Amino acid sequence: MRYEFADCLLDTDSYKLYRDGAPQPVEPQVFDLLRVLVENAGKLVSRDQLIAQVWGGRIVSEATISARINAARSAVGDSGKAQAVIRTVPRRGIELVVPVATAGQAPHPPQMAERAQNQTIRYTTSADGTQLAFGVSGLADGAPVLRASHHVTHLEMDWMSPFWRPFFDALGGQHRLIRYDMRGTGLSDGAGTDHDMARHVEDLAAVADAAGLDRFPILANLNSAAVAIRYAAENPNRVSRLIIQQGYARGRALRGGASEPSENDPFVNLLRGDGWGDPQNGYMRAWMSMTAPTLTYDEATAMIGLIAEASSISDVLASRQTIDRFDARPFLAQVQAPTLVIHARSDIVHPLAEGRVIAAGIPGAEFRVVESANTLCVPSDPTWAEQTEAILEFLSRD
């Protein structure tokens, strides 16, 4: 069913929200909240009804409910102050206060014109012969965005995952999105132990060339941030914009308090043993709770399974021996592209200080701190919409 209200259209069949004809990024719980409101237009929706229909009756905090309501208001162009679309009735619930019309199965908004395509996966070869898988999705004639790969990706599985697909759809609704699996993960060749950061820069270059990119923006997070920084510094005429989301310029082994030898690093030791990919293994649970502490039990179980399928424990450990020693600090001052740095304030895996290193080192970089503890920004993160909107806005600048 398609519901029209204010300047919005909510399509419950395709699971998409449009405002003024443009797709709006919303995480699944926010979409479900909006669906409950339009299905009960003109009626007060109680807190208990929201919990039952959006969270399946699970216990959730008032802060979580408020965050989703705020995100829903933002998505439809409303605010907590105005409450012109979604009104809060203190201690009773919320209601949609604008007229709602059902649009049946009308065509999609003409701005989209059904130009979005499914993901197409291809292969290319890096300078040292490593085969790399890359995927192309989104608008076939849209401006390109290259999303650099971190160390636990899988093009096919990520495409179908509720953790990552909403973000891909948000980017692909306005751009042609190019993603790739880092060597040693997903559909690309194994990692081995004889590669350094320069090899990863060559990998990014190989994908950009194979995708036919001339001048393009790069979106990078985690270990791919260092790779993207060096590539941007060495190829100033090719990188139009640089976005670093929860990334770092120096690997864990180069930070104060790092364990030497690296085999003594407790973070690495959590990944060893027979528990890799086992959601009931306490070490995997501990690792996931550090990486994304706001995930529910079921979400953490699903995430553990996803990353375990993306890469074997041997390849993960081999990759970590390399990426923990990445150092892009010598290249920061050479980056000429406009840069946005987004970092979670309370992340303990890659602390806020690592975002500051990048923002302070790249001339003119914008630094945006979000109130999150997650290393991985997934749709259930209260700042998912904020981060996604900031990225899309930065990419839209001339």
Side-chain angles (χ1 to χ4, degrees):
M1 184 65 69
R2 296 163 65 82
Y3 298 91
E4 296 178 349
F5 60 99
D7 57 354
C8 299
L9 186 148
L10 190 78
D11 189 334
T12 59
D13 293 325
S14 66
Y15 218 77
K16 292 181 179 179
L17 171 70
Y18 302 90
R19 193 169 85 230
D20 284 333
Q24 300 300 305
V26 290
E27 57 105 336
Q29 289 176 350
V30 173
F31 186 94
D32 289 342
L33 188 152
L34 289 170
R35 176 179 52 78
V36 171
L37 288 175
V38 297
E39 290 175 350
N40 293 273
K43 301 178 182 179
L44 189 67
V45 178
S46 69
R47 176 185 181 280
D48 289 343
Q49 187 176 352
L50 281 178
I51 292 174
Q53 296 191 35
V54 177
W55 285 275
R58 298 193 304 272
I59 297 175
V60 292
S61 67
E62 290 295 337
T64 297
I65 296 173
S66 295
R68 299 303 183 272
I69 293 172
N70 289 337
R73 283 195 173 109
S74 177
V76 300
D78 198 9
S79 69
K81 182 178 181 180
Q83 297 195 20
V85 180
I86 301 173
R87 181 171 72 95
T88 296
V89 180
R91 296 183 296 279
R92 293 186 179 275
I94 59 174
E95 65 175 324
L96 200 71
V97 294
V98 293
V100 175
T102 56
Q105 298 299 318
H108 287 302
Q111 289 87 341
M112 293 298 293
E114 296 297 340
R115 295 181 297 159
Q117 61 180 16
N118 291 325
Q119 175 176 245
T120 300
I121 296 176
R122 298 187 175 90
Y123 276 88
T124 189
T125 303
S126 192
D128 68 348
T130 300
Q131 286 192 328
L132 303 169
F134 69 97
V136 182
S137 60
L139 300 183
D141 57 352
V145 176
L146 175 63
R147 183 177 187 264
S149 174
H150 59 78
H151 65 292
V152 281
T153 66
H154 191 296
L155 288 172
E156 289 181 327
M157 295 180 65
D158 291 355
W159 181 250
M160 301 304 296
S161 168
F163 295 114
W164 308 124
R165 182 62 181 271
F167 184 59
F168 300 157
D169 285 345
L171 286 172
Q174 301 180 28
H175 299 274
R176 177 163 54 99
L177 175 62
I178 296 93
R179 303 161 31 240
Y180 66 95
D181 285 335
M182 189 183 92
R183 56 175 65 204
T185 193
L187 302 178
S188 292
D189 276 356
T193 57
D194 58 351
H195 59 283
D196 57 18
M197 191 169 77
R199 301 289 80 75
H200 288 271
V201 175
E202 291 173 352
D203 293 349
L204 189 155
V207 170
D209 291 344
L213 304 183
D214 181 17
R215 184 168 172 80
F216 56 95
I218 300 176
L219 168 61
N221 57 13
L222 305 179
N223 56 281
S224 70
V227 175
I229 289 166
R230 178 166 173 177
Y231 180 87
E234 295 178 340
N235 299 271
N237 294 327
R238 297 196 66 178
V239 180
S240 58
R241 289 189 178 275
L242 180 62
I243 301 172
I244 305 297
Q245 184 183 25
Q246 205 60 30
Y248 55 85
R250 56 180 180 178
R252 288 171 51 84
L254 305 181
R255 303 172 195 169
S259 298
E260 288 295 343
S262 62
E263 288 76 10
N264 294 333
D265 188 336
F267 184 83
V268 172
N269 284 331
L270 284 178
L271 305 181
R272 298 185 184 278
D274 298 327
W276 178 250
D278 179 3
Q280 303 307 317
N281 181 274
Y283 290 114
M284 285 299 299
R285 286 278 170 191
W287 181 67
M288 186 53 60
S289 69
M290 290 192 299
T291 304
T294 66
L295 291 182
T296 66
Y297 184 90
D298 289 341
E299 286 175 330
T301 298
M303 180 65 82
I304 288 171
L306 180 64
I307 63 175
E309 289 294 327
S311 188
S312 68
I313 183 58
S314 59
D315 276 344
V316 167
L317 291 174
S319 292
R320 290 206 64 89
Q321 292 298 310
T322 298
I323 66 178
D324 281 356
R325 290 168 174 77
F326 277 3
D327 192 355
R329 287 174 294 177
F331 301 94
L332 290 170
Q334 302 173 38
V335 174
Q336 299 178 22
T339 300
L340 171 65
V341 180
I342 301 175
H343 212 94
R345 185 184 302 279
S346 302
D347 180 24
I348 63 173
V349 178
H350 302 301
L352 183 61
E354 300 309 312
R356 290 196 188 105
V357 168
I358 298 174
I362 296 179
E366 299 179 26
F367 190 37
R368 184 171 187 137
V369 179
V370 295
E371 300 301 329
S372 174
N374 289 336
T375 303
L376 303 174
C377 183
V378 295
S380 60
D381 186 311
T383 69
W384 185 90
E386 176 189 351
Q387 295 192 49
T388 302
E389 289 168 6
I391 289 169
L392 291 173
E393 187 278 327
F394 188 74
L395 288 171
S396 70
R397 298 180 193 176
D398 294 333

